[in-house]
Amino acid sequence: MTAATPSPSPEVLAAFEAAKGFMPVHEGLALYTAATEAGALGLPLLEVGTYCGRSTILLADTARTAGVSALTVDHHRGSEEQQPGWEYHDPTVVDPEVGLMDTLPTFRRTLHRAGLEEHVVALVGRSPQVAAVWAGPLGLVFIDGGHTDEHANGDYEGWAPHVAEGGLLVIHDVFPDPADGGQAPYRVYLRALASGAFTEVSVTDSLRVLRRTGSGV
């Protein structure tokens, strides 16, 4: 008899769906399953690319259940495609005083409404800088930050080394066909597989879940 696939409560799922962000529900459920499994390692779960906290809700809920912390890394000034004039720009998250995007207040409201603030550590800064001062192992690393090669590779190089043996590396927006989206996360996904350190666990549209089964990156 196979175990039931973990799923969030109706309240958590409703909070996820109500939050500002781009992850569809079916990919969110796949992330939730991965985070639930990784939480059993007793190590923190980390995402790169907070935006307004949509996926953070799912990681925080699984972290709460597992008794670990969810960590989320973002400078909260928006990635390239979220700047004015680009497809994913949202003028409601621009700070009128400084004229720059600031998703941090929206993120905090998202967690407050979901009742999950105490289970999340928000690391406000650029991913490579935060990774450079992080020393501990992680049960899960979810890469969902900037989509240029520079940023995607920086996230991978900074955080993949911290994935513990048996832990999970999750990569979002992996599009093998260039017609579907940018290729930087796809190239990072191929790099992880080619490293020999990670083995694919599941594919849910653009979400890839890999397990650390070897050393290195």
Side-chain angles (χ1 to χ4, degrees):
M1 184 175 179
T2 57
T5 301
S7 60
S9 68
E11 294 78 14
V12 169
L13 186 59
F16 167 80
E17 291 187 275
K20 190 185 294 290
F22 310 104
M23 176 175 276
V25 171
H26 64 290
E27 291 184 346
L29 294 176
L31 174 64
Y32 190 90
T33 297
T36 299
E37 179 186 333
L41 295 175
L43 297 169
L45 314 174
L46 179 138
E47 74 173 341
V48 181
T50 313
Y51 191 51
C52 296
R54 185 176 172 96
S55 55
T56 315
I57 289 172
L58 302 179
L59 296 183
D61 187 56
T62 57
R64 172 172 59 183
T65 301
V68 300
S69 292
L71 313 170
T72 185
V73 181
D74 202 310
H75 50 68
H76 289 280
R77 293 301 191 195
S79 57
E80 299 78 10
E81 64 272 19
Q82 293 163 357
Q83 302 306 317
W86 290 80
E87 180 180 1
Y88 294 103
H89 179 62
D90 183 348
T92 68
V93 291
V94 173
D95 181 336
E97 183 174 330
V98 300
L100 299 173
M101 287 188 64
D102 186 0
T103 54
L104 184 57
T106 305
F107 160 68
R108 296 202 67 170
R109 287 191 290 270
T110 296
L111 287 187
H112 177 73
R113 290 175 187 139
L116 291 166
E117 282 184 292
E118 65 185 273
H119 303 286
V120 176
V121 177
L123 301 167
V124 181
R126 297 191 175 274
S127 173
Q129 292 173 299
V130 180
V133 297
W134 183 264
L138 298 165
L140 176 142
V141 167
F142 174 40
I143 296 179
D144 192 23
H147 287 39
T148 64
D149 282 304
E150 176 190 359
H151 290 132
N153 278 297
D155 293 339
Y156 177 74
E157 291 165 4
W159 293 107
H162 296 289
V163 177
E165 177 67 27
L168 299 178
L169 173 68
V170 184
I171 307 172
H172 195 216
D173 296 325
V174 174
F175 298 111
D177 185 346
D180 294 328
Q183 296 291 283
Y186 177 57
R187 285 189 281 268
V188 164
Y189 157 74
L190 294 178
R191 178 180 177 183
L193 290 178
S195 71
F198 296 97
T199 303
E200 187 164 86
V201 174
S202 69
V203 175
T204 305
D205 281 355
S206 76
L207 191 83
R208 301 293 191 273
V209 179
L210 311 177
R211 187 187 317 282
R212 179 177 284 287
T213 53
S215 60
V217 291

